[in-house]
Amino acid sequence: MSVIANCMARRGTPLQKQGRWLCGPCPKCGGRDRFIATFRADKGKELFKCRQCLFAGDDIKLLVEIENMPFIEA
């Protein structure tokens, strides 16, 4: 399971697989179906974006901002 999917599951908001995307509610703004995440093999990391509040980044940014994890630990 991906880092982003694990983080969202711990928050009680599991993501649903839709094609190559994981979709669900945004952890930042609460938008119900605007959050998408995917793995980019060419970049070697997971990326996410909320299509409502435009909160976006990689798996490390999600852990730092949503889980309040120190950057070094993330």
Side-chain angles (χ1 to χ4, degrees):
M1 188 180 272
S2 73
V3 172
I4 293 174
N6 279 335
C7 177
M8 297 298 285
R10 281 193 305 272
R11 299 179 59 77
T13 54
L15 300 175
Q16 302 297 318
K17 185 147 177 72
Q18 294 180 2
R20 68 180 189 150
W21 301 99
L22 294 173
C23 305
C26 177
K28 191 95 164 173
C29 72
R32 292 174 19 137
D33 62 352
R34 305 285 190 232
F35 187 80
I36 57 173
T38 190
F39 178 75
R40 290 282 307 265
D42 60 330
K43 297 193 182 281
K45 62 173 121 179
E46 295 176 72
L47 302 173
F48 69 88
K49 179 178 183 178
C50 174
R51 296 177 304 218
Q52 183 170 315
C53 70
L54 303 180
F55 175 53
D58 60 10
D59 48 355
I60 294 172
K61 181 175 181 177
L62 187 78
L63 291 173
V64 169
E65 298 220 6
I66 299 301
E67 296 288 319
N68 296 318
M69 189 179 289
F71 181 79
I72 299 296
E73 189 178 325

